[in-house]
């Protein structure tokens, strides 16, 4: 969404329009250059819902719903996607952030990108803090807390009592959440998993009991499939 502000530069005292891309955010800082003198003017926005969304710009705001005027200079800023500072409604590429993305990604990829971005933000907010905690306890060797987090917060139905079991649970949880965060349209998650699987299978070759605890002697591929499907471990 684009909001239009009528602003006065605190430096050169000229007035101008700012077209500002607005999105739900817990806190985003930005700056906009005065289109007359280039002075950087700082601003911030926060609020995840429409009712609590706030925008602050560190200069005199003459109006926060300025009607378009062809005589006024315009600056376009979007803290979330690339945009052209000097774009106005009449220079399409870079003037509407969504259009910029659409042109850059193409119709199909844009929808995919937006849905992945949504899932990634959600996973980062809801799942990552728990998985981070789990992995922290794993690294510290705090077995009691590791088991408690795995069972109470990740819904693990059994107790990982050996070090191999805890390693598996820790990496499965990490793998599941990072897959959601990195998404599938790029090559990142394939790289992450490729690297992980090489280490994991090397460990399996060295330690036969590692395979036994996983119950995947017959099919290491099954574990791989389970790990690649986020819903199977973290819900
Ligand atoms: Zn200025």
């Amino acid at each position: 969404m684009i909001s239009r502000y009528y602003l006065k530069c605190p430096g050169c005292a000229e007035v101008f329009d700012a077209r500002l891309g607005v999105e739900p955010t817990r806190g985003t800082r930005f700056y906009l250059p005065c289109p007359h003198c280039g002075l950087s003017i700082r601003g911030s926005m926060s609020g995840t819902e429409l009712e609590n969304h706030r925008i602050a710009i560190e200069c005199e705001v003459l109006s926060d719903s300025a009607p378009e005027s062809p005589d006024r200079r315009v600056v376009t800023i979007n803290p979330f996607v690339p945009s052209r500072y000097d774009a106005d409604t009449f220079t399409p590429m870079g003037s509407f952030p969504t259009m910029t993305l659409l042109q850059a990604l193409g119709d199909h990829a844009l929808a995919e990108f937006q849905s992945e971005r949504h899932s990634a933000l959600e996973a980062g907010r809801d799942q990552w803090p728990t998985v981070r905690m789990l992995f922290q306890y794993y690294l510290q060797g705090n077995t009691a807390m590791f088991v408690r987090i795995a069972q109470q917060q990740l819904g693990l139905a059994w107790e990982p009592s050996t070090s191999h079991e805890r390693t598996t649970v820790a990496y499965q949880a990490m793998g599941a959440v990072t897959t959601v965060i990195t998404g599938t349209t790029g090559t990142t998650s394939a790289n992450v998993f490729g690297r992980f699987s090489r280490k994991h299978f090397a460990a399996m070759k060295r330690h036969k009991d590692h395979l036994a605890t996983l119950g995947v002697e017959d099919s290491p591929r099954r574990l791989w499939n389970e790990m690649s499907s986020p819903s199977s471990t973290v819900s």
Side-chain angles (χ1 to χ4, degrees), residues 9 24-26 35 49 63 69 79 116 130 134 149 160 166 234:
C9 174
T25 169
R26 282 164 82 175
E49 306 293 334
S63 164
S69 159
E116 281 201 349
T130 308
L134 183 84
I149 299 292
R166 286 189 293 277
V234 177

Side-chain angles (χ1 to χ4, degrees), residues 9-14 16 34-39:
C9 174
C12 69
E14 296 286 340
F16 60 95
C34 167
H36 297 278
C37 71
L39 182 75

Side-chain angles (χ1 to χ4, degrees), residues 41-222:
I41 301 168
R42 289 188 298 181
S44 62
M45 69 175 81
S46 65
T48 49
E49 306 293 334
L50 200 58
E51 311 85 68
N52 65 14
H53 204 275
R54 297 276 177 278
I55 294 170
I57 305 172
E58 295 179 8
C59 68
E60 194 178 337
V61 179
L62 302 169
S63 164
D64 60 6
S65 55
E68 212 165 320
S69 159
D71 317 323
R72 278 203 297 270
R73 291 205 188 172
V74 175
V75 61
T76 297
I77 8 54
N78 190 307
F80 306 98
V81 293
S83 54
R84 273 177 53 173
Y85 289 140
D86 63 343
D88 58 29
T89 326
F90 310 103
T91 53
M93 183 65 174
S95 59
F96 292 101
T98 312
M99 286 303 292
T100 310
L101 276 180
L102 185 63
Q103 284 173 328
L105 297 174
D107 227 339
H108 172 67
L110 178 69
E112 216 168 316
F113 168 77
Q114 287 192 320
S115 110
E116 281 201 349
R117 180 168 174 271
H118 180 75
S119 310
L121 290 174
E122 250 182 15
R125 193 186 57 218
D126 302 336
Q127 297 170 7
W128 176 249
T130 308
V131 172
R132 192 190 67 83
M133 206 153 49
L134 183 84
F135 216 87
Q136 184 73 39
Y137 286 132
Y138 166 70
L139 292 175
Q140 288 174 359
N142 187 335
T143 306
M145 281 311 300
F146 180 88
V147 172
R148 193 201 289 186
I149 299 292
Q151 290 182 331
Q152 292 180 0
Q153 298 201 29
L154 295 175
L156 192 73
W158 51 283
E159 181 169 337
S161 52
T162 68
S163 139
H164 284 319
E165 286 172 343
R166 286 189 293 277
T167 301
T168 303
V169 169
Y171 275 92
Q172 278 190 342
M174 179 68 88
V177 75
T178 49
T179 300
V180 180
I181 290 173
T182 55
T184 55
T185 43
T187 55
T188 318
S189 54
N191 287 340
V192 170
F193 272 99
R195 206 171 298 144
F196 170 66
S197 74
R198 281 195 296 279
K199 283 188 183 171
H200 197 62
F201 290 135
M204 282 180 170
K205 271 185 208 150
R206 278 199 304 276
H207 306 286
K208 288 294 175 198
D209 57 330
H210 189 54
L211 280 172
T213 53
L214 295 169
V216 291
E217 301 93 325
D218 50 345
S219 169
R221 197 74 210 167
R222 205 190 74 209

Side-chain angles (χ1 to χ4, degrees), residues 2-34:
I2 289 262
S3 282
R4 211 178 172 93
Y5 289 83
Y6 185 32
L7 305 175
K8 186 173 177 181
C9 174
C12 69
E14 296 286 340
V15 295
F16 60 95
D17 284 348
R19 303 170 70 251
L20 178 62
V22 176
E23 283 198 34
T25 169
R26 282 164 82 175
T28 298
R29 293 174 188 280
F30 58 88
Y31 81 93
L32 53 97
C34 167

